[in-house]
Amino acid sequence: MESPGVALMLWALACLSGPSTGFPNGKVTEHFPKHTVEVNVTEFKPGDRVKVSLSGPVFEGFFLQARNAENLEGPAIGSFALADRKRSQVLTCGRVKNSAVSHTSKSKKSHLDAYWIAPRDAPKRIQFLVTVVEKFRVFWVKIPGPTISQPNIPTLATPVVTEVTVGTSLPVSHLTQPFSASDCGSNKFCVRNPSDCDPGARDCFFLSFKRDHVDLIVVEMSGPSDGYIAFALSHDQWMGGGDDAYLCISDSHHVDIKTASLTGRAYPEFDSEPALDEMSWRLADGLIQCSFRRRIHFPALQGRFNLDANYYIFMADGEVSEGGMIHKHYRQPLITDGKFNVTGPAKDIGGSRSPLLIKIHGALMFVAWMTTVSIGVIVARFFKPVWPNSLLFGEEIWFQVHRALMVMTVLLTGASFILPFLYRGGWSDQAGFHPYLGCTVMALAIFQPIMAGFRPPPQAPRREIFNWLHWSTGTTARILAVVVIFLGMDLPALNLPDPWDTYTMMGFVAWHVGTDVLLEIHGYCLIHKGTVTNLYFSLH
Ligand SMILES: *[C@@H]1O[C@H](CO)[C@@H](O)[C@H](O)[C@H]1NC(C)=O
Ligand SMILES: *[C@@H]1O[C@H](CO)[C@@H](O)[C@H](O)[C@H]1NC(C)=O
């Protein structure tokens, strides 16, 4: 069933109650329905197939059934067979199987046929009743259709029907156009990603809060997704810990609006009844849109936060599998860069999908393994003869520079290394090989200065072994570090623009390799000219 919401409500209104009675919050007006039900017979016998046609002004939903004309409060009679399997479905009303026909989607229609099959124990007269949802909140409830009877039975007068406007608590497809950002910052509090994007655009995530009454807030959310979009209010920058979440879940041409508590990194705990009003939605152009109204204060309900306080706001999107099961967001959620009071002064803010700690982690690692380490190696490899006779603080200049740069590399790596652990609060299972290789690089980076500290003097026979170990450990660390950076760049937490991040990084690697090769060639030429001694190629 594609639209459980309206179908369920129609079922409740039409299946259970008698005609035109007892509609909750109903505003009864004096209009007459414009929809009609027609049949191709006036008499029937048990087992007969009767063609029933519903037509009239464009409608979205309907619910058709037959009842005993002398007891309209009684159960549904007979069963239906479908003439239009795409747009209609049979439902079970009471205990009688297939005793009602309803819509499958809220697509606009003006005509629909179905076949009614008279049961063996049919009453003398039956009457068709139809409930029609013309549009949002306009229902024609229990429009009496024709009465048909078994042979030789006089017909009955038909009861009166009324148009009923029902205040529904179920989400309905009511929105007709993308949300507007024109009030953002002046009249409503907006979060947009990318900043200042148009909520109708294909890549725009939009969330707004607008005060409706003293104690009511209208929330609008839209974003590109074919699964779900969601936002959550949180006291901290980590999801979980009872965060207050609102999800708009697309379920084959229908959107469910749900509230949930996020505890830990587990599946959200959905509330059975979202305490929201005026839920409506729209699916168009690859965007999910939904809006609802909620009270600012929720003293009684667990899980909902009061809106007049400061929160971090998260926005996420992800996929939904068959059956409405939601999947974890496949990219990093958007997080506002501070706590905000959505009921306070109207603001128009952006946010970031990349946490600051992770950005710093990436930046420091990049500086360490693309800059300081490379210069340090080049200095040790090619700059020994540049200042052959001058010392700096009692050591040769190339060595001082090399050591300073390498110590800086290790310090930068160490400082940067702890940031993801701080951000995740532990080990991340979702980063693939990146953390494993990263730890290897960290270990090599720590091992390298320790080994250098215990190096044998330049003339010692074991010096050769040290030279090779020092070189191979360093080179392994550098190569691994480049691999780790490539892996890390594509992780969602950094949210870099694919594929240009990879190309840029390739450019850097090419530049470094190219520089090394050029310097090697240069050095080789110098040796052949005999302008430098072997000192040039010996390590300190
Ligand atoms: C009414 O329609 C049904 C279903 O198409 C058909 O079986 C039946 O013969 C029709 N009856 C008349 C009188 O046309
Ligand atoms: C949030 O804004 C509302 C309305 O201006 C105000 O009443 C409330 O005190 C604010 N909350 C905080 C924590 O600043």
Short mmCIF file of all heavy atoms in Angstrom, two decimals, residues 88-111:
data_model
loop_
_atom_site.label_atom_id
_atom_site.label_comp_id
_atom_site.label_asym_id
_atom_site.label_seq_id
_atom_site.Cartn_x
_atom_site.Cartn_y
_atom_site.Cartn_z
N SER A 88 -5.63 1.45 -8.30
CA SER A 88 -6.55 1.07 -7.22
C SER A 88 -6.13 -0.24 -6.60
O SER A 88 -5.38 -1.02 -7.21
CB SER A 88 -7.97 1.00 -7.75
OG SER A 88 -8.06 0.06 -8.79
N GLN A 89 -6.62 -0.48 -5.42
CA GLN A 89 -6.30 -1.71 -4.71
C GLN A 89 -7.50 -2.12 -3.88
O GLN A 89 -8.32 -1.28 -3.51
CB GLN A 89 -5.09 -1.48 -3.80
CG GLN A 89 -5.35 -0.39 -2.77
CD GLN A 89 -4.11 -0.05 -1.97
OE1 GLN A 89 -3.24 -0.88 -1.80
NE2 GLN A 89 -4.04 1.17 -1.45
N VAL A 90 -7.58 -3.41 -3.58
CA VAL A 90 -8.68 -3.87 -2.74
C VAL A 90 -8.22 -3.88 -1.29
O VAL A 90 -7.08 -4.16 -0.99
CB VAL A 90 -9.19 -5.27 -3.16
CG1 VAL A 90 -10.08 -5.17 -4.38
CG2 VAL A 90 -8.06 -6.23 -3.38
N LEU A 91 -9.14 -3.55 -0.41
CA LEU A 91 -8.83 -3.54 1.01
C LEU A 91 -9.87 -4.39 1.72
O LEU A 91 -10.93 -4.68 1.18
CB LEU A 91 -8.91 -2.12 1.57
CG LEU A 91 -7.95 -1.09 1.00
CD1 LEU A 91 -8.25 0.27 1.60
CD2 LEU A 91 -6.52 -1.49 1.29
N THR A 92 -9.55 -4.76 2.93
CA THR A 92 -10.48 -5.55 3.70
C THR A 92 -11.13 -4.68 4.76
O THR A 92 -10.45 -4.04 5.55
CB THR A 92 -9.75 -6.75 4.33
OG1 THR A 92 -9.29 -7.56 3.27
CG2 THR A 92 -10.65 -7.54 5.23
N CYS A 93 -12.41 -4.61 4.70
CA CYS A 93 -13.18 -3.77 5.63
C CYS A 93 -13.89 -4.72 6.57
O CYS A 93 -14.63 -5.60 6.12
CB CYS A 93 -14.18 -2.97 4.81
SG CYS A 93 -14.46 -1.33 5.41
N GLY A 94 -13.70 -4.56 7.84
CA GLY A 94 -14.32 -5.48 8.78
C GLY A 94 -13.77 -6.88 8.56
O GLY A 94 -12.57 -7.06 8.41
N ARG A 95 -14.67 -7.86 8.45
CA ARG A 95 -14.18 -9.23 8.30
C ARG A 95 -14.28 -9.73 6.86
O ARG A 95 -13.93 -10.84 6.56
CB ARG A 95 -14.95 -10.15 9.25
CG ARG A 95 -14.08 -10.61 10.42
CD ARG A 95 -14.92 -11.27 11.48
NE ARG A 95 -15.73 -10.28 12.20
CZ ARG A 95 -16.89 -10.57 12.79
NH1 ARG A 95 -17.41 -11.76 12.72
NH2 ARG A 95 -17.53 -9.63 13.44
N VAL A 96 -14.82 -8.85 5.99
CA VAL A 96 -15.04 -9.31 4.62
C VAL A 96 -13.83 -8.96 3.74
O VAL A 96 -13.47 -7.79 3.60
CB VAL A 96 -16.31 -8.65 4.04
CG1 VAL A 96 -16.70 -9.34 2.74
CG2 VAL A 96 -17.44 -8.71 5.05
N LYS A 97 -13.24 -9.98 3.16
CA LYS A 97 -12.04 -9.79 2.36
C LYS A 97 -12.36 -9.01 1.08
O LYS A 97 -13.39 -9.22 0.46
CB LYS A 97 -11.46 -11.17 2.00
CG LYS A 97 -9.99 -11.14 1.73
CD LYS A 97 -9.38 -12.52 1.93
CE LYS A 97 -7.90 -12.49 1.61
NZ LYS A 97 -7.63 -12.63 0.18
N ASN A 98 -11.48 -8.12 0.70
CA ASN A 98 -11.62 -7.33 -0.53
C ASN A 98 -12.94 -6.58 -0.60
O ASN A 98 -13.50 -6.39 -1.68
CB ASN A 98 -11.50 -8.22 -1.77
CG ASN A 98 -10.18 -8.96 -1.81
OD1 ASN A 98 -9.25 -8.61 -1.07
ND2 ASN A 98 -10.08 -9.96 -2.64
N SER A 99 -13.45 -6.15 0.54
CA SER A 99 -14.78 -5.54 0.53
C SER A 99 -14.73 -4.05 0.24
O SER A 99 -15.76 -3.39 0.26
CB SER A 99 -15.47 -5.79 1.86
OG SER A 99 -14.65 -5.30 2.90
N ALA A 100 -13.56 -3.51 -0.02
CA ALA A 100 -13.48 -2.09 -0.36
C ALA A 100 -12.39 -1.89 -1.40
O ALA A 100 -11.48 -2.70 -1.53
CB ALA A 100 -13.18 -1.26 0.89
N VAL A 101 -12.50 -0.79 -2.15
CA VAL A 101 -11.48 -0.43 -3.12
C VAL A 101 -10.95 0.94 -2.73
O VAL A 101 -11.73 1.81 -2.31
CB VAL A 101 -12.04 -0.33 -4.56
CG1 VAL A 101 -10.90 -0.19 -5.57
CG2 VAL A 101 -12.89 -1.52 -4.88
N SER A 102 -9.66 1.13 -2.88
CA SER A 102 -9.08 2.42 -2.55
C SER A 102 -7.99 2.75 -3.55
O SER A 102 -7.63 1.93 -4.39
CB SER A 102 -8.53 2.38 -1.12
OG SER A 102 -8.03 3.64 -0.76
N HIS A 103 -7.47 3.96 -3.44
CA HIS A 103 -6.42 4.41 -4.37
C HIS A 103 -5.08 3.79 -3.97
O HIS A 103 -4.91 3.38 -2.83
CB HIS A 103 -6.32 5.93 -4.32
CG HIS A 103 -6.03 6.44 -2.94
ND1 HIS A 103 -7.03 6.55 -1.99
CD2 HIS A 103 -4.89 6.80 -2.35
CE1 HIS A 103 -6.49 6.98 -0.88
NE2 HIS A 103 -5.19 7.15 -1.06
N THR A 104 -4.14 3.80 -4.89
CA THR A 104 -2.79 3.35 -4.54
C THR A 104 -1.85 4.52 -4.38
O THR A 104 -0.84 4.42 -3.71
CB THR A 104 -2.20 2.43 -5.63
OG1 THR A 104 -2.37 3.08 -6.88
CG2 THR A 104 -2.87 1.09 -5.64
N SER A 105 -2.15 5.64 -5.01
CA SER A 105 -1.30 6.80 -4.85
C SER A 105 -2.16 8.04 -4.95
O SER A 105 -3.31 7.96 -5.37
CB SER A 105 -0.21 6.84 -5.92
OG SER A 105 -0.76 7.33 -7.12
N LYS A 106 -1.57 9.15 -4.58
CA LYS A 106 -2.36 10.38 -4.60
C LYS A 106 -2.32 11.08 -5.95
O LYS A 106 -2.59 12.26 -6.04
CB LYS A 106 -1.88 11.29 -3.48
CG LYS A 106 -2.70 11.04 -2.24
CD LYS A 106 -2.08 11.62 -1.04
CE LYS A 106 -1.23 10.56 -0.42
NZ LYS A 106 -0.24 10.97 0.47
N SER A 107 -1.98 10.33 -6.98
CA SER A 107 -1.99 10.94 -8.31
C SER A 107 -3.39 11.49 -8.60
O SER A 107 -4.39 10.96 -8.12
CB SER A 107 -1.61 9.89 -9.34
OG SER A 107 -2.60 8.88 -9.35
N LYS A 108 -3.46 12.51 -9.36
CA LYS A 108 -4.75 13.13 -9.67
C LYS A 108 -5.51 12.24 -10.64
O LYS A 108 -4.95 11.74 -11.60
CB LYS A 108 -4.51 14.50 -10.30
CG LYS A 108 -3.65 15.41 -9.43
CD LYS A 108 -4.44 16.62 -8.98
CE LYS A 108 -3.59 17.59 -8.18
NZ LYS A 108 -3.20 17.08 -6.87
N LYS A 109 -6.77 12.03 -10.36
CA LYS A 109 -7.59 11.22 -11.24
C LYS A 109 -9.01 11.77 -11.25
O LYS A 109 -9.42 12.47 -10.33
CB LYS A 109 -7.57 9.75 -10.82
CG LYS A 109 -7.63 9.51 -9.31
CD LYS A 109 -7.11 8.12 -8.97
CE LYS A 109 -6.66 8.00 -7.52
NZ LYS A 109 -5.32 8.50 -7.26
N SER A 110 -9.74 11.47 -12.31
CA SER A 110 -11.11 11.96 -12.35
C SER A 110 -12.08 10.82 -12.66
O SER A 110 -13.29 11.02 -12.66
CB SER A 110 -11.25 13.06 -13.39
OG SER A 110 -10.85 12.56 -14.65
N HIS A 111 -11.53 9.63 -12.90
CA HIS A 111 -12.41 8.51 -13.22
C HIS A 111 -11.74 7.21 -12.78
O HIS A 111 -10.55 7.05 -12.94
CB HIS A 111 -12.67 8.46 -14.73
CG HIS A 111 -13.65 7.38 -15.10
ND1 HIS A 111 -14.99 7.64 -15.28
CD2 HIS A 111 -13.47 6.05 -15.30
CE1 HIS A 111 -15.60 6.49 -15.58
NE2 HIS A 111 -14.71 5.52 -15.58
#
